[in-house]
Amino acid sequence: MAKKIGVTMEVGNDGVAVITITNPPVNSLASPIIAGLKEKFQDANQRNDVKAIVLTGNNGRFSGGFDINVFQQVHKTGDLSLMPEVSVELVCNLMEDSRKPVVAAVEGLALGGGLELAMACHARVAAPKAQLGLPELTLGVIPGFGGTQRLPRLVGLAKATDMILLSKSILSEEGHKLGLVDALVPPGDLLSASRKWALDIADGRKPFLRSLHRTDKIGSLSEARAILKNSRQLAKKIAPNMPQHHACIEVIEEGIVHGGYSGVLKEAEVFKQLVLSDTAKGLVHVFFAQRATSKVPNVTDVGLKPRPIKKVAIIGGGLMGSGIATALLLSNIRVLLKEINTEYLMKGIKSVEANIKGLVSRGKLTQDKAGKALSLLKGVLDYTEFKDVDMVIEAVIENIQLKQSIFKELEKVCSPHCILASNTSTIDLDVIGEKTNSKDRIVGAHFFSPAHLMTLLEIVRSKNTSAQVILDLMAVGKAIKKVPVVVGNCIGFAVNRTFFPYAQAAHMLTNLGVDLFRIDSVITSFGLPLGPFQLGDLAGHGIGLAVGPIYAKVYGDRMFNSPLTELLLKSGRNGKINGRGFYIYEKGSKPKPDPQVLSIVEESRKLTNIMPGGKPRSVSDKEIVEMILFPVVNEACRVLDEGVVIRAADLDIASVLGMSFPSYRGGIVFWADMVGPKYIYERLKRLSETYGGFFKPSRYLEERAMKGMLLSESQSSRSRM
Ligand SMILES: CCCCC[C@H](O)CC(=O)SCCNC(=O)CCNC(=O)[C@H](O)C(C)(C)COP(=O)(O)OP(=O)(O)OC[C@H]1O[C@@H](n2cnc3c(N)ncnc32)[C@H](O)[C@@H]1OP(=O)(O)O
Ligand SMILES: NC(=O)c1ccc[n+]([C@@H]2O[C@H](COP(=O)([O-])OP(=O)(O)OC[C@H]3O[C@@H](n4cnc5c(N)ncnc54)[C@H](O)[C@@H]3O)[C@@H](O)[C@H]2O)c1
């Protein structure tokens, strides 16, 4: 059934016209809604029987803002005329400058353009717990319906810049304290209280306030300039590679110096420039890509319902097991944590406690909730209590025989409906379940470290995993605030496999004579939070050495064998874990590059002997980015070719959430498509002629480069799903 969308107006006997937006699920301001709002406001302004107006949203939500699909259309076509004229025509002229008072009745959420409409009303009445904010910067644009001007005038400049630059929403309770919300009323009274407020304004019992004309919360010009100076520093820190933060501050300043209306005009002009930026394209892609991960063919579209998961057993209370336990406990799921002996069990429980304490000390969790979470944890040393758990997540060391024997045992001790998940990062799931008759309920639950903080959950399905089990794990993932991405079974799955050339390429460059600390700095300037060497330090070089042979067995034709990791470990450097790797780690200070590591690098260079003519290769920063990230793109192509992911956008989300690939570049495949498959192909081809198989372009990349197709364009039929 087609969903009913539109704007309605009902005029009551009291002379109040209630204008209602209906566009489920979030009442986004799509073109027909904007056209409807213009029509209804014109009508209400002209009708003699209308004394005052109330604007509201249907189904308990005011509005989630402008329709983001329109941005995507603009990105596809480059056609700016797809964006309606709203800021002056509707918001200033028909709403704020109307001679009849308009009151916003806000429930659920008013975000972006939704909040901007509400701010153009002459008062705002809200139900408790409504979410209010201007998150436009997360989409690479700025508020475009006057939000940059009205929010500072309603809540003060410091609070407004904080909310806009950090895309931080607030609840209506806080909005009430700040003056953004005029009255807080129970949901059942929202419409009647809003009608009354509108009539009170019409009859002069309450002030007729136009937000754009207010100056009482802005302060003096020098105070405003001091706040904006801080905002510029903040923008430099949080968004060094994005244009919208600085642009937004300029627009706010315009309004402070030359008045709100001037600010509105500048806002509209800057908005149009930003919406076409690569940053906006990347961020809008990520917005939709993240939501698309919830749609898994033959799983979410076949009428299945997720079963309740109330009790989970975790095997192994090490780094991952304790992190996963923390994530589950925080969402009120009971956890049994199993270890091999009391000492390791206590260690595991202490790690969970430390994770939770950390959240409390950073103000992210109340003491009460921390206590409740910990009360749901029980440590055990055997399987006696496993009979009534709904799911087991195995997180023991990466050892095939151990995992196989554990799964064999689980089959005996757990109920037949219990989901059997492994957090393995490399081992084939079919191999893990080889000795069981429960292959349909064996699934990969690949969390990323630290598991209670990282949002990606790779759900790995083998050929046998049932749709019900995948759906159940997706539901658990969402319940514990992760973004589940369903992927196929292969060594390294989607994320680790795509990124295994990342460290290898960095090692090759270093062996070619490029300074390793420069490589890290170039990659962080590109936008990844850690360069490959610092990332290696963080993961621990022991792990790198252990998984190397597993990758070599299957992807050996495209690996660069660097002796550097082994040499590093030989000299007692395991990375952050023991305070020394490529960097030195001291409590309370940032990692420092360790010059002493350069002698180890020299030793490695002697062994590999790949420097041209024995002299360090000179490379530009651009070449460093290409030599490190193009092999990653190349592997992403193989992942797409083999159908390891459902859609290219899933790999984008997985790279953003699992590897912290910059979201403003849209994820690894989206970025590669922006750079151009042909260019990447040609660069890799040239590099492979000089340096061999590591850079050899994949069949998929070559095909698309030759046909002039995007990498994201089509999927192979050789799906692993
Ligand atoms: C000339 C033009 C000027 C424009 C100026 C204006 O200032 C610009 C804007 O307003 S930009 C939009 C600002 N708003 C946002 O950024 C909010 C984005 N949405 C969300 O954060 C969330 O969706 C939510 C908090 C509103 C609801 O979250 P929830 O978890 O309940 O639901 P989902 O996120 O899964 O969303 C459900 C479906 O709704 C779609 N959707 C959400 N918001 C929008 C939107 N603003 N436009 C279009 N579509 C939206 C979302 O994609 C989901 O769709 P599915 O098909 O996946 O179900
Ligand atoms: N470390 C990471 O960044 C990371 C990320 C994703 C996935 N993984 C995967 O998660 C798993 C665990 O890794 P980790 O880093 O937490 O390892 P870890 O060494 O920190 O912890 C493993 C724990 O398992 C316990 N254990 C071993 N045998 C057991 C048994 N029979 N019963 C109960 N407990 C047992 C050990 O005592 C140890 O405490 C591995 O498969 C690894 O590949 C690790």
Side-chain angles (χ1 to χ4, degrees):
M1 214 171 62
K3 63 181 183 179
K4 203 172 157 259
I5 79 161
V7 180
T8 55
M9 182 169 86
E10 271 180 44
V11 183
N13 292 335
D14 55 359
V16 177
V18 177
I19 298 180
T20 307
I21 302 167
T22 304
N23 187 10
V26 303
N27 292 331
S28 69
L29 305 170
S31 302
I33 300 293
I34 286 169
L37 285 170
K38 282 185 187 166
E39 186 200 311
K40 299 302 178 205
F41 271 99
Q42 249 157 8
D43 197 16
N45 282 336
Q46 278 163 9
R47 273 172 66 160
N48 291 331
D49 59 337
V50 174
K51 221 172 141 184
I53 302 163
V54 167
L55 174 65
T56 194
N58 215 342
N59 295 321
R61 286 173 151 183
F62 186 78
S63 169
F66 186 68
D67 181 1
I68 302 169
N69 290 290
V70 178
F71 295 158
Q72 214 169 36
Q73 282 306 321
V74 171
H75 294 159
K76 273 190 197 138
T77 59
D79 181 1
L80 277 173
S81 73
L82 292 170
M83 289 197 309
E85 291 299 328
V86 181
S87 193
V88 173
E89 228 179 284
L90 170 68
V91 183
C92 290
N93 298 350
L94 289 172
M95 292 177 66
E96 190 166 53
D97 291 345
S98 163
R99 281 180 293 108
K100 299 178 184 180
V102 188
V103 171
V106 179
E107 197 179 359
L109 49 83
L111 295 174
L115 181 61
E116 292 176 286
L117 290 186
M119 290 193 295
C121 295
H122 305 108
R124 285 144 296 281
V125 177
K129 303 271 179 267
Q131 194 189 344
L132 313 172
L134 296 178
E136 284 87 343
L137 271 67
T138 59
L139 297 167
V141 292
I142 57 172
F145 292 170
T148 60
Q149 307 304 311
R150 292 189 182 89
L151 191 62
R153 285 165 174 78
L154 286 167
V155 303
L157 188 57
K159 181 69 189 177
T161 48
D162 186 55
M163 282 174 70
I164 300 175
L165 293 182
L166 298 171
S167 292
K168 256 198 318 211
S169 57
I170 57 171
L171 292 182
S172 42
E173 285 78 356
E174 188 182 351
H176 190 213
K177 282 189 198 139
L178 291 167
L180 178 59
V181 168
D182 297 279
L184 209 54
V185 301
D189 299 344
L190 188 63
L191 271 187
S192 58
S194 303
R195 294 183 103 100
K196 184 170 177 318
W197 199 290
L199 288 171
D200 281 351
I201 301 178
D203 296 337
R205 289 185 295 274
K206 285 207 173 10
F208 202 139
L209 296 173
R210 293 186 166 94
S211 311
L212 200 60
H213 301 185
R214 284 177 63 172
T215 50
D216 51 310
K217 295 209 173 161
I218 299 287
S220 69
L221 192 57
S222 61
E223 281 166 342
R225 287 221 153 108
I227 293 170
L228 293 177
K229 191 173 168 208
N230 286 342
S231 302
R232 285 192 172 94
Q233 273 162 2
L234 175 70
K236 216 168 159 183
K237 195 167 143 212
I238 60 171
N241 293 349
M242 292 188 254
Q244 70 273 29
H245 296 72
H246 286 286
C248 188
I249 298 168
E250 298 292 313
V251 168
I252 294 174
E253 189 166 41
E254 170 75 21
I256 303 284
V257 177
H258 299 292
Y261 193 69
S262 191
V264 163
L265 296 181
K266 179 150 184 174
E267 183 193 84
E269 183 193 316
V270 171
F271 188 96
K272 283 189 177 157
Q273 291 158 10
L274 287 170
V275 76
L276 284 173
S277 67
D278 285 353
T279 303
K281 288 176 187 163
L283 290 170
V284 167
H285 170 72
V286 164
F287 176 84
F288 286 116
Q290 179 160 335
R291 278 148 187 91
T293 57
S294 307
K295 297 173 180 95
V296 179
N298 300 320
V299 173
T300 54
D301 54 1
V302 288
L304 293 171
K305 295 260 170 304
R307 294 171 293 178
I309 305 287
K310 293 188 174 144
K311 189 172 171 188
V312 175
I314 296 174
I315 308 183
L319 177 71
M320 295 307 292
S322 58
I324 299 167
T326 308
L328 291 161
L329 294 168
L330 291 173
S331 297
N332 296 324
I333 298 176
R334 291 191 166 278
V335 172
L336 282 183
L337 186 65
K338 181 189 176 291
E339 258 294 348
I340 43 171
N341 59 36
T342 313
E343 184 195 338
Y344 279 85
L345 182 58
M346 291 323 292
K347 224 170 133 188
I349 291 176
K350 281 220 162 71
S351 298
V352 176
E353 286 169 354
N355 290 341
I356 288 183
K357 263 192 204 144
L359 294 173
V360 174
S361 64
R362 275 179 276 137
K364 303 223 157 152
L365 191 70
T366 63
Q367 197 65 53
D368 263 13
K369 285 195 176 144
K372 167 98 201 309
L374 285 171
S375 74
L376 300 173
L377 174 66
K378 185 170 180 192
V380 293
L381 293 173
D382 59 35
Y383 292 117
T384 325
E385 293 188 48
F386 274 47
K387 54 187 174 301
D388 65 345
V389 299
D390 304 304
M391 174 159 81
V392 178
I393 303 176
E394 167 277 310
V396 305
I397 48 168
E398 199 75 329
N399 176 306
I400 296 179
Q401 285 76 28
L402 177 62
K403 290 194 195 257
Q404 282 180 333
S405 72
I406 286 176
F407 275 78
K408 200 160 169 244
E409 185 72 19
L410 286 176
E411 198 177 27
K412 289 189 215 143
V413 296
C414 297
S415 76
H417 71 259
C418 177
I419 297 167
L420 307 178
S422 171
N423 181 49
T424 177
S425 40
T426 30
I427 306 173
D428 187 328
L429 280 180
D430 290 326
V431 174
I432 290 180
E434 201 173 81
K435 303 205 163 137
T436 73
N437 294 313
S438 301
K439 298 186 179 62
D440 58 333
R441 54 188 173 121
I442 293 181
V443 63
H446 186 214
F447 289 83
F448 289 72
S449 177
H452 61 300
L453 300 179
M454 293 291 282
T455 42
L456 180 65
L457 169 61
E458 242 184 338
I459 297 182
V460 189
R461 65 191 292 185
S462 76
K463 285 257 183 289
N464 299 304
T465 314
S466 77
Q468 182 66 56
V469 163
I470 295 162
L471 188 75
D472 294 343
L473 190 50
M474 286 176 75
V476 175
K478 286 199 173 165
I480 63 174
K481 300 183 181 68
K482 304 288 175 206
V483 176
V485 177
V486 178
V487 303
N489 189 17
C490 65
I491 297 297
F493 316 128
V495 177
N496 288 352
R497 170 170 172 189
T498 298
F499 277 85
F500 91 82
Y502 181 62
Q504 297 220 335
H507 280 223
M508 182 186 272
L509 267 173
T510 304
N511 280 287
L512 279 169
V514 184
D515 176 59
L516 73 95
F517 300 116
R518 177 173 167 226
I519 295 173
D520 270 4
S521 142
V522 168
I523 293 297
T524 51
S525 300
F526 173 84
L528 280 125
L530 299 179
F533 294 103
Q534 206 182 334
L535 185 70
D537 272 2
L538 190 70
H541 297 291
I543 291 188
L545 203 63
V547 297
I550 304 180
Y551 280 95
K553 215 167 149 190
V554 276
Y555 311 133
D557 58 330
R558 49 183 189 274
M559 283 185 68
F560 172 68
N561 293 316
S562 163
L564 192 50
T565 305
E566 210 169 336
L567 291 172
L568 209 64
L569 281 165
K570 257 194 206 150
S571 74
R573 293 167 183 265
N574 190 12
K576 192 175 177 200
I577 202 164
N578 73 345
R580 294 169 79 215
F582 294 107
Y583 295 75
I584 297 175
Y585 298 85
E586 279 158 1
K587 233 186 167 159
S589 59
K590 284 188 176 165
K592 286 190 209 85
D594 185 355
Q596 284 183 18
V597 90
L598 298 180
S599 60
I600 301 172
V601 172
E602 275 313 314
E603 214 180 323
S604 173
R605 284 177 184 160
K606 271 190 203 130
L607 289 169
T608 52
N609 193 24
I610 56 169
M611 288 197 287
K615 295 221 169 68
R617 185 160 171 337
S618 153
V619 287
S620 67
D621 288 356
K622 183 166 174 264
E623 277 176 292
I624 292 181
V625 168
E626 294 183 354
M627 286 176 82
I628 291 193
L629 289 177
F630 286 0
V632 175
V633 170
N634 206 19
E635 197 60 34
C637 286
R638 296 187 178 97
V639 164
L640 295 177
D641 195 19
E642 291 171 26
V644 175
V645 284
I646 296 165
R647 47 186 92 78
D650 285 3
L651 197 49
D652 285 328
I653 286 303
S655 67
V656 167
L657 301 179
M659 282 303 291
S660 304
F661 191 86
S663 57
Y664 59 84
R665 296 192 190 273
I668 188 74
V669 186
F670 187 87
W671 172 71
D673 276 341
M674 296 285 272
V675 174
K678 189 151 190 277
Y679 176 77
I680 297 174
Y681 167 75
E682 278 164 3
R683 286 291 296 134
L684 283 171
K685 197 155 177 284
R686 288 269 302 275
L687 287 165
S688 71
E689 280 155 17
T690 316
Y691 302 111
F694 178 74
F695 291 107
K696 187 170 179 265
S698 63
R699 190 182 63 113
Y700 186 95
L701 175 61
E702 181 169 19
E703 234 176 60
R704 269 141 195 80
M706 293 303 128
K707 291 183 184 160
M709 284 169 75
L710 294 177
L711 302 181
S712 54
E713 224 162 290
S714 76
Q715 283 289 325
S716 144
S717 54
R718 296 163 59 205
S719 174
R720 289 185 189 225
M721 301 290 204

